[in-house]
Amino acid sequence: MAENTTTKIVMEEGHGLYEEKKSRFISQLYTVHSEEEALALVEAAKKRYYDARHTCFAYIIGRDGRTLRAADDGEPQGTAGRPILDVLQGEGLHDVVLIVTRYFGGTLLGTGGLVRAYTRSAMDAVEQAKLAEEFRGVEFHLNYDYGMAGKVEYLFRNRKGVLLAQEYGAGVMIHGLLPENSAEKFFSDLKNESNGSLEAEGVKPCFYVVSEGHGQIVK
């Protein structure tokens, strides 16, 4: 499976159940931020499904994906952990662990069958989870008077801005996010339209997601 260049995070965990020739594959996808957290969830799955034959898993820690692991837990090498990891990488996910527990049904699936079964089970968990695409962007605050509201709001929408908060008083204050590739143009247009009187404050790089129309900064 080709690696995806778009990064995503799990907003809500996902679970799946897949059956193949009487073998049952129970999949679980969680957000984690360390190897210790990932392995603790693996151990919890082993205790919960103590009578299962295999507890296979893969995890990716860090946006750069440098910390990763795939484990077959007794299945033939490369038939379980690697397919699970391929699903995670193909979706562009990070800071996640995906665990697949197998109850053996009495019929051997063969290496190809195992790869397909673990891939399908991993995909089931991903499809049941709530994911959000991650954007590299810029966070900022901006204060302006009501006479500039129309221009500011137009420029903000035109540059795909995401509003975090807005307050009204003597003037207007917005706390917003902009995609990295449009932030510089927004700030430049803002200065031009206001004859240099408007300048954003607290400008800093960030990563963010947009879920159900709302922006959220992520680590």
Side-chain angles (χ1 to χ4, degrees):
M1 185 176 295
E3 187 169 342
N4 196 327
T5 57
T6 299
T7 57
K8 299 177 189 174
I9 61 171
V10 175
M11 303 293 286
E12 293 180 10
E13 63 190 48
H15 302 266
L17 175 62
Y18 176 73
E19 294 191 17
E20 179 71 21
K21 295 182 179 178
K22 297 184 179 180
S23 278
R24 286 191 299 138
F25 298 83
I26 302 167
S27 53
Q28 306 164 76
L29 176 66
Y30 300 103
T31 296
V32 292
H33 297 288
S34 68
E35 289 188 86
E36 293 76 13
E37 192 177 348
L39 293 173
L41 287 167
V42 172
E43 288 305 311
K46 287 182 177 180
K47 289 179 181 178
R48 181 178 181 183
Y49 303 110
Y50 64 90
D51 53 343
R53 178 72 66 89
H54 306 282
T55 303
C56 308
F57 65 90
Y59 58 72
I60 301 175
I61 310 297
R63 189 171 283 107
D64 55 12
R66 290 181 184 176
T67 303
L68 54 83
R69 181 181 171 190
D72 297 310
D73 191 35
E75 295 282 31
Q77 185 175 359
T79 62
R82 183 71 238 186
I84 297 170
L85 182 62
D86 284 346
V87 169
L88 296 179
Q89 291 180 318
E91 289 291 333
L93 287 162
H94 67 84
D95 291 314
V96 292
V97 60
L98 207 167
I99 306 161
V100 180
T101 301
R102 181 190 181 191
Y103 281 89
F104 182 56
T107 301
L108 296 175
L109 301 182
T111 56
L114 285 172
V115 169
R116 288 191 294 272
Y118 278 101
T119 299
R120 180 65 262 175
S121 186
M123 290 176 63
D124 284 347
V126 170
E127 289 168 0
Q128 292 301 314
K130 180 180 177 182
L131 309 181
E133 184 178 351
E134 207 173 39
F135 298 92
R136 185 188 296 269
V138 172
E139 175 188 6
F140 70 97
H141 291 80
L142 180 67
N143 293 281
Y144 52 94
D145 61 40
Y146 289 98
M148 286 294 297
K151 288 183 178 179
V152 172
E153 290 168 9
Y154 170 77
L155 292 174
F156 189 62
R157 288 195 306 270
N158 195 44
R159 296 300 170 191
K160 302 186 187 308
V162 177
L163 193 64
L164 290 176
Q166 189 168 28
E167 297 178 6
Y168 298 94
V172 184
M173 185 284 292
I174 62 172
H175 179 195
L177 301 166
L178 288 162
E180 184 182 53
N181 60 6
S182 67
E184 185 176 347
K185 189 67 169 66
F186 171 79
F187 297 137
S188 174
D189 290 344
L190 197 63
K191 281 189 175 183
N192 291 336
E193 291 292 338
S194 66
N195 295 317
S197 64
L198 288 184
E199 188 166 353
E201 301 174 349
V203 179
K204 57 185 178 181
C206 68
F207 286 89
Y208 68 93
V209 298
V210 180
S211 178
E212 297 177 355
H214 300 287
Q216 178 181 328
I217 296 172
V218 294
K219 294 181 180 180

